[in-house]
């Protein structure tokens, strides 16, 4: 074996890892937010959770990546540790698929149909179709499918390159001498663990072993401990992800490695008995790629079947290893992160988690402002303090979400996820500002209470109508954002225009009352501040609604849309506006202007009558 064969071996491994990484990233990208809905279906049914864990691992082609995601979810408080137990077990089953695909390289037949099942033969066609999709398709989803196909072809090319590079090893006495170390089962487990830990991929480690098996120099006795070690080594990524997280989150990678170690102990004990006590001749025979895939599957499925009845005890054991006292739990709760950075490994899942947090922020903003409106009716200092606490929470949510979403926006995501991130980045500021206006209103109510001031009965009846309209626009906005419904969002702008008209009319009526001496000046200032905050909140609702509509219509232009609405050129808007205008009508009053106009009209009428009388007398 020359130095060039070594270079080919290293290059083959590089292609293999690169192809695996491309496949994993784009499979996860296409799965997108569906991972969120799948994880939310977790129940106490262990078999359903096993299936979910296996399915997600097959989708993203990495049990380590799933474990890291679970660490992030537990560290963020989104999931409980007990929910992850069977998912982790299921991921160990799903990770065996790659070995089965790679084992097809060992197929040898003159039959064309069977021969085409060999990845080495059909992967060039897969690569060609993938490149056609990437270069010829305009849809991003098809481009992603093409990238996955090219990634698979690169992976298989790497496998072929490794197999060709190691084939000369079969005739080298030095290689045969080196394999003696693998014949020691304990050394085999250590080597398998170390090698897999370095490349951080059990699929790649098993692939290298399958390539070496093609030389005809790897026996069952050598391969089995290496497979066991590879399964332990794959936990290195998860262990590294547990650094710097809460004690609860540390339980996830601990459980993963505990399952692998217990499985290795069980199967290694059986191996030692079968090989040295019973002396089965199979351990001296050469193993092929297919048989390696079989044992890899037996090891993982067998381990899960053995440990499944004891899953609750395993969970309790790990919890005791990382026990959390009540005081520590409260401290961890205060220090817990809103969104763990490990979720960035799965952008689709991260987008959904951000959306859940943003929806919670929206509801909190609505609750805080409605609570501020009600403080005017029945002032309570405790309610004011609650509003202040809500506003502080809204500030925290905006800071954390803004930082996380900016980092998330740099990730490779689907077009829908990119739109969702953009929509959230625009909306979180509006939700936070609604909280600021709630503080303003609470302070306004507090000032009125200290001064012993109250709005007049007429002003209160007008505010009642305005408050009802505002509560509806808040509900419309939050509901449309939560459901991502642009049809519902289109109802916001007509109501916002009605609220603007209401605030103008209330201001005019207030001026009339001031002129008539029915209202005090200091109350006028307070009422103006009240109305201004209401106007600002309705404006923020409009901003959110317009953003939803814009996201759903990529060619949508904000200013043009708003101008069309204000010009009254859209019949749908006019109909909605008229409906809201009829729904929210201020109590009938006769303003000073109207009184003045009526008086002038009456005076003119009297003057005209007098003139007519004079004219008649003169004619006579």
């Amino acid at each position: 074996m020359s130095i060039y064969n070594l270079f080919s071996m290293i290059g083959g491994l590089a292609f293999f890892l690169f192809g695996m990484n491309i496949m994993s990233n784009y499979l996860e990208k296409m799965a997108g937010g569906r991972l969120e809905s799948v994880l939310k279906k977790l129940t106490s049914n262990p078999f359903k959770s096993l299936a979910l864990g296996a399915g997600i691992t097959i989708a993203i082609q990495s049990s380590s990546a799933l474990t890291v995601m679970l660490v992030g979810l537990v560290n963020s408080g989104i999931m409980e540790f007990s929910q992850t137990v069977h998912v982790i077990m299921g991921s160990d089953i799903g990770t065996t698929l790659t070995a089965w695909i790679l084992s097809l390289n060992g197929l040898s037949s003159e039959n064309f149909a069977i021969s085409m099942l060999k990845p080495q033969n059909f992967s060039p066609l897969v690569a060609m179709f993938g490149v056609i999709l990437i270069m010829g398709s305009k849809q991003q989803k098809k481009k992603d499918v093409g990238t996955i196909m090219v990634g698979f072809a690169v992976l298989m090319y790497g496998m072929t390159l490794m197999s060709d590079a190691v084939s000369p090893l079969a005739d080298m006495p030095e290689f045969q001498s080196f394999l003696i170390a693998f014949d020691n089962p304990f050394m085999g487990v250590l080597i398998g663990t170390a090698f897999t830990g370095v490349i951080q991929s059990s699929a790649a480690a098993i692939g290298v072993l399958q390539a070496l098996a093609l030389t005809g120099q790897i026996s069952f006795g050598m391969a089995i401990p290496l497979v066991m070690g590879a399964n332990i080594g794959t936990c290195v990524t998860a262990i590294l992800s547990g650094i710097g997280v809460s004690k609860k989150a540390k339980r996830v990678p601990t459980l993963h490695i505990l399952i692998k170690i217990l499985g290795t102990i069980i199967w290694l004990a059986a191996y030692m008995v079968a090989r040295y006590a019973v002396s089965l001749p199979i351990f001296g025979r050469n193993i092929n790629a297919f048989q390696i895939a079989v044992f890899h599957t037996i090891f993982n499925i067998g381990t899960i079947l053995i440990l499944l009845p004891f899953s609750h005890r395993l969970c309790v054991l790990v919890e005791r290893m990382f026990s959390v006292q009540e005081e520590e739990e409260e401290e961890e709760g205060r220090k817990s992160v809103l969104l763990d950075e490990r979720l960035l490994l799965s952008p689709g899942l991260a987008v959904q988690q951000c959306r859940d947090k943003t929806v919670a922020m929206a509801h909190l903003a609505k609750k805080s402002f409605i609570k501020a409106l009600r403080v005017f009716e029945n002032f309570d200092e405790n309610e004011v303090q609650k509003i202040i606490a809500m506003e502080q929470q809204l500030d925290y949510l905006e800071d954390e979400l803004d930082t996380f979403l900016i980092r998330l926006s740099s990730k490779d995501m689907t077009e829908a996820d990119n739109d969702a991130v953009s929509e959230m980045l625009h909306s979180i500021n509006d939700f936070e500002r609604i909280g600021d206006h709630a503080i303003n209103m609470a302070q306004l109510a507090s000032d009125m209470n200290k001064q012993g001031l109250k709005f007049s009965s007429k002003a209160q009846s007008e505010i009642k109508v305005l408050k009802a309209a505002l509560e509806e626009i808040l509900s419309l906005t939050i509901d449309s954002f939560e459901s991502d419904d642009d049809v519902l969002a289109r109802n916001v702008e007509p109501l916002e225009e009605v609220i603007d008209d209401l605030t103008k009319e209330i201001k005019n009526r207030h001026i009339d009352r001031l002129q008539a001496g029915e209202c005090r000046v200091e109350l006028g200032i307070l009422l103006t501040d009240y109305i201004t905050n209401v106007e600002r909140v309705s404006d923020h609702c409009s901003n959110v609604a317009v953003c939803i509509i814009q996201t759903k219509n990529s060619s949508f232009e904000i200013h043009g849309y708003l101008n069309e609405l204000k010009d009254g050129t859209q019949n749908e808007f006019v109909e909605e506006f008229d409906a809201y205008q009829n729904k929210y009508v201020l109590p009938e009053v006769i303003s000073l202007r109207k009184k003045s106009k009526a008086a002038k009209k009456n005076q003119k009428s009297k003057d005209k009558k007098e003139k007519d009388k004079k004219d008649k007398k003169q004619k006579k």
Side-chain angles (χ1 to χ4, degrees):
M1 180 177 179
S2 68
I3 187 67
Y4 301 110
N5 291 108
L6 178 62
F7 289 164
S8 295
M9 173 70 180
I10 295 171
L13 180 59
F15 279 123
F16 187 97
L17 292 173
F18 177 74
M20 177 66 71
N21 184 61
I22 290 294
M23 281 184 62
S24 176
N25 289 343
Y26 277 83
L27 282 167
E28 194 284 324
K29 177 183 175 181
M30 291 195 66
R34 286 189 289 274
L35 290 178
E36 160 78 0
S37 59
V38 168
L39 286 171
K40 282 188 174 179
K41 292 177 182 177
L42 292 172
T43 64
S44 57
N45 186 328
F47 297 104
K48 188 173 182 179
S49 295
L50 282 171
L52 291 173
I56 293 173
T57 304
I58 290 171
I60 63 176
Q61 283 293 293
S62 176
S63 61
S64 297
L66 175 59
T67 305
V68 172
M69 274 188 255
L70 293 174
V71 171
L73 290 170
V74 172
N75 196 44
S76 298
I78 298 168
M79 287 180 67
E80 291 295 327
F81 166 65
S82 57
Q83 293 179 285
T84 68
V85 177
H86 296 107
V87 183
I88 291 172
M89 290 182 169
S91 71
D92 291 337
I93 298 173
T95 195
T96 61
L97 177 66
T98 307
W100 282 103
I101 296 173
L102 296 177
S103 70
L104 295 174
N105 272 325
L107 286 174
S108 180
S109 175
E110 294 183 0
N111 183 286
F112 177 78
I114 296 176
S115 181
M116 282 303 293
L117 293 175
K118 192 173 181 179
Q120 182 180 346
N121 294 334
F122 71 74
S123 58
L125 297 178
V126 172
M128 178 55 68
F129 284 123
V131 170
I132 291 172
L133 285 174
I134 292 171
M135 298 181 67
S137 178
K138 293 182 179 179
Q139 297 180 11
Q140 186 59 44
K141 190 173 182 179
K142 291 182 179 180
K143 289 179 180 288
D144 292 341
V145 172
T147 304
I148 292 170
M149 296 173 75
V150 172
F152 174 80
V154 171
L155 182 152
M156 297 314 305
Y157 175 72
M159 183 67 181
T160 303
L161 204 59
M162 284 192 292
S163 301
D164 293 341
V166 299
S167 58
L169 293 174
D171 302 322
M172 291 181 63
E174 295 83 0
F175 178 65
Q176 295 174 4
S177 300
F178 173 71
L179 290 179
I180 294 174
F182 290 88
D183 204 39
N184 183 317
F186 297 104
M187 186 61 70
V189 171
L190 288 175
I191 292 172
T193 301
F195 181 69
T196 308
V198 170
I199 63 176
Q200 297 192 16
S201 173
S202 61
I206 298 296
V208 171
L209 182 60
Q210 288 175 313
L212 288 171
L214 296 176
T215 65
Q217 299 297 312
I218 304 297
S219 66
F220 277 87
M222 298 173 187
I224 289 174
L226 287 169
V227 172
M228 294 180 189
N231 277 279
I232 296 175
T234 193
C235 297
V236 169
T237 307
I239 293 171
L240 293 175
S241 73
I243 298 174
V245 299
S246 65
K247 284 187 177 181
K248 286 186 176 182
K250 288 181 188 294
R251 294 169 180 170
V252 178
T254 303
L255 176 66
H256 195 189
I257 194 168
L258 181 62
I259 291 171
K260 295 295 189 180
I261 290 175
L262 289 175
T264 299
I265 291 172
I266 293 167
W267 288 102
L268 189 60
Y271 168 89
M272 298 291 285
V273 171
R275 182 173 182 181
Y276 297 107
V278 182
S279 300
L280 293 178
I282 191 173
F283 293 103
R285 297 175 187 168
N286 292 336
I287 194 170
N288 58 39
F290 176 78
Q291 290 164 335
I292 289 173
V294 170
F295 178 72
H296 182 47
T297 303
I298 291 174
F299 173 85
N300 283 284
I301 295 179
T303 298
I304 299 307
L305 291 176
I306 294 169
L307 297 180
L308 188 60
F310 307 100
S311 58
H312 177 68
R313 293 185 180 181
L314 286 174
C315 186
V316 172
L317 174 62
V318 174
E319 286 176 344
R320 287 179 180 175
M321 292 170 66
F322 292 95
S323 60
V324 182
Q325 301 298 327
E326 187 174 347
E327 296 81 7
E328 291 180 311
E329 188 168 354
E330 291 178 0
E331 183 65 21
E332 284 196 352
R334 288 191 291 268
K335 294 181 178 179
S336 62
V337 294
L338 181 72
L339 290 161
D340 195 279
E341 63 179 9
R342 292 159 188 81
L343 297 177
L344 293 171
L345 294 172
S346 175
L349 177 62
V351 169
Q352 288 300 317
Q353 293 301 332
C354 285
R355 185 157 190 85
D356 289 346
K357 299 297 183 184
T358 308
V359 168
M361 182 182 181
H363 282 287
L364 184 63
K366 172 189 171 184
K367 184 179 179 181
S368 68
F369 198 81
I370 290 178
K371 190 179 286 288
L373 290 175
R374 291 174 182 172
V375 168
F376 284 90
E377 300 170 4
N378 185 18
F379 183 80
D380 186 343
E381 185 60 37
N382 291 329
E383 291 298 297
V384 173
Q385 293 304 316
K386 288 179 183 178
I387 294 168
I388 293 172
M390 288 179 182
E391 197 277 332
Q392 290 172 347
Q393 179 67 9
L394 286 168
D395 285 344
Y396 168 72
L397 288 169
E398 187 203 18
D399 290 341
E400 292 294 316
L401 281 167
D402 186 65
T403 302
F404 193 86
L405 286 168
I406 289 172
R407 294 183 63 188
L408 182 58
S409 62
S410 65
K411 301 294 180 180
D412 189 14
M413 297 180 289
T414 62
E415 186 176 346
D417 285 342
N418 276 317
D419 288 342
V421 169
S422 177
E423 183 181 303
M424 285 185 280
L425 279 169
H426 283 88
S427 299
I428 55 175
N429 179 256
D430 288 296
F431 295 138
E432 190 276 332
R433 291 294 296 144
I434 290 173
D436 289 342
H437 290 295
I439 288 288
N440 294 343
M441 295 289 271
Q443 186 60 51
L444 195 62
S446 182
D447 291 342
M448 289 181 65
N449 182 67
K450 288 177 183 177
Q451 298 174 40
L453 298 174
K454 283 188 176 181
F455 292 127
S456 66
S457 58
K458 290 181 179 179
Q460 287 181 18
S461 62
E462 293 163 359
I463 286 173
K464 186 177 179 180
V465 176
L466 182 62
K467 189 183 103 174
L470 190 70
E471 288 184 2
E472 180 166 357
I473 199 173
L474 280 168
S475 296
L476 269 175
T477 303
I478 306 310
D479 291 345
S480 62
F481 182 83
E482 184 173 8
S483 60
D484 199 24
D485 187 348
D486 62 318
V487 176
L488 191 60
R490 291 178 187 274
N491 294 330
V492 172
E493 195 62 32
L495 183 52
E496 194 272 337
E497 288 290 321
V498 169
I499 290 174
D500 283 348
D501 290 346
L502 287 173
T503 56
K504 290 175 185 176
E505 179 60 23
I506 291 173
K507 285 179 182 178
N508 289 334
R509 292 186 177 193
H510 172 66
I511 292 170
D512 290 343
R513 287 194 291 270
L514 279 175
Q515 292 175 347
E518 298 176 4
C519 182
R520 295 165 59 179
V521 175
E522 56 269 32
L523 276 173
I525 297 171
L526 295 171
L527 181 61
T528 301
D529 289 342
Y530 184 104
I531 292 173
T532 299
N533 281 288
V534 169
E535 283 181 315
R536 296 292 179 268
V537 169
S538 66
D539 288 340
H540 289 301
C541 289
S542 174
N543 292 342
V544 174
V546 169
C547 184
I548 295 169
I549 299 169
Q550 184 184 31
T551 303
K552 289 289 185 180
N553 303 271
S554 55
S555 60
F556 173 80
E557 202 277 316
I558 295 177
H559 297 294
Y561 169 74
L562 293 176
N563 288 333
E564 285 181 9
L565 296 185
K566 291 175 181 178
D567 292 341
T569 56
Q570 291 196 8
N571 293 331
E572 184 180 346
F573 172 84
V574 174
E575 290 174 2
E576 290 292 332
F577 176 81
D578 290 341
Y580 285 126
Q581 196 173 44
N582 292 329
K583 183 176 182 180
Y584 297 107
V585 180
L586 294 176
E588 282 293 333
V589 295
I590 301 176
S591 66
L592 288 179
R593 290 189 183 87
K594 289 180 179 179
K595 287 180 179 179
S596 177
K597 287 180 181 179
K600 288 179 180 179
K601 188 175 181 181
N602 291 332
Q603 187 61 45
K604 285 182 179 180
S605 178
K606 288 179 181 180
D607 292 343
K608 188 177 180 182
K609 287 180 180 179
E610 288 294 330
K611 186 180 179 183
D612 290 340
K613 286 180 181 180
K614 288 180 180 179
D615 290 340
K616 286 180 180 179
K617 287 181 180 180
Q618 290 176 358
K619 286 180 180 179
K620 290 180 179 180

